């Protein structure tokens, strides 16, 4: 089997090489920071291929990268808030996956780019939630993360922002990202 036989018929060689370059760049970012690969890979790769294809590709890549992290993250996680977030994700992932399967690829690309841009601006603004912990807020963050994971494999940023919002959630960030990659395939 040759390399060209592994490429889907609707993807040209140049697009496949571009996707490989985007994967390398996003993998470097993940290697240095521990997160962020999806925020780089999905907007770039979905500009040259169908979002469904690149979301599935990122799911496979993320699974391979996250699986070894799961045992350590499980030991460090605060299980109660993590379970609440996962409950929200259980609702959000199927909804996001539904939209990924039904929306026009151009619309999906704009949603992905808009979400990544909005979250980047929110993170850069430095805004922090200073209120009390609420289960409803945690379920909402989980649902948003799940929706983004189902639509574009970008569920980690919502959880990451939640970790900046609320110090109790810092430990489960890597656990939730690992669970999203392993337990909620699109």
């Amino acid at each position: 089997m040759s390399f060209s036989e592994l490429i889907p018929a609707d993807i040209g060689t140049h697009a496949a090489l571009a996707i490989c370059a985007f994967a390398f760049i996003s993998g470097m970012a993940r290697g240095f920071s521990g997160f962020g690969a999806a925020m780089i890979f999905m907007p770039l790769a979905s500009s040259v291929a169908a979002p469904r294809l690149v979301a599935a590709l990122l799911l496979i890549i993320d699974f391979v990268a996250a699986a070894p992290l799961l045992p350590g993250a499980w030991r460090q996680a605060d299980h109660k808030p993590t379970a609440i977030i996962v409950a929200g994700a259980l609702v959000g992932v199927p909804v996001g996956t539904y939209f990924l399967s039904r929306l026009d690829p151009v619309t999906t690309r704009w949603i992905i780019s808009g979400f990544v841009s909005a979250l980047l601006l929110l993170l850069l603004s430095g805004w922090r939630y200073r209120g009390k912990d609420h289960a409803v807020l945690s379920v909402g963050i989980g649902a948003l993360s799940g929706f983004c994971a189902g639509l574009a494999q970008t569920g980690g940023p919502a959880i990451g922002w939640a970790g900046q919002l609320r110090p109790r959630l810092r430990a489960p960030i890597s656990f939730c990202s690992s669970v999203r990659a392993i337990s909620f395939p699109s």
Side-chain angles (χ1 to χ4, degrees):
M1 181 178 285
S2 69
F3 175 72
S4 62
E5 292 174 338
L6 296 173
I7 301 172
D10 59 336
I11 301 295
T13 304
H14 294 294
L17 290 173
I19 290 170
C20 289
F22 300 147
F24 177 77
I25 292 166
S26 62
M28 292 287 289
R30 183 182 183 126
F32 283 111
S33 67
F35 74 99
M39 291 181 67
I40 296 168
F41 182 77
M42 284 303 297
L44 294 174
S46 67
S47 70
V48 297
R52 289 180 207 161
L53 174 69
V54 295
L57 180 59
L58 185 60
L59 178 68
I60 293 166
I61 293 169
D62 221 15
F63 175 81
V64 170
L69 302 175
L70 190 57
W74 178 259
R75 285 189 298 274
Q76 293 178 3
D78 186 351
H79 295 115
K80 184 178 178 183
T82 302
I84 294 170
I85 290 174
V86 169
L90 288 171
V91 173
V93 168
V95 174
T97 303
Y98 173 80
F99 280 104
L100 175 64
S101 68
R102 300 288 186 233
L103 289 177
D104 175 61
V106 174
T107 304
T108 306
R109 289 177 183 124
W110 279 106
I111 291 171
I112 292 167
S113 297
F115 170 72
V116 168
S117 299
L119 192 57
L120 177 62
L121 290 173
L122 184 62
L123 289 171
L124 289 174
S125 76
W127 183 82
R128 302 289 184 263
Y129 175 75
R130 307 242 187 262
K132 293 182 177 185
D133 286 346
H134 295 287
V136 172
L137 180 63
S138 294
V139 169
I141 290 168
L144 174 63
S145 175
F147 174 79
C148 294
L151 179 70
Q153 299 303 310
T154 55
I159 300 293
W161 181 64
Q164 290 185 5
L165 292 179
R166 302 162 60 215
R168 279 187 49 201
L169 291 180
R170 287 196 180 127
I173 291 171
S174 63
F175 175 74
C176 286
S177 295
S178 300
V179 168
R180 174 194 52 84
I182 294 168
S183 300
F184 307 121
S186 300

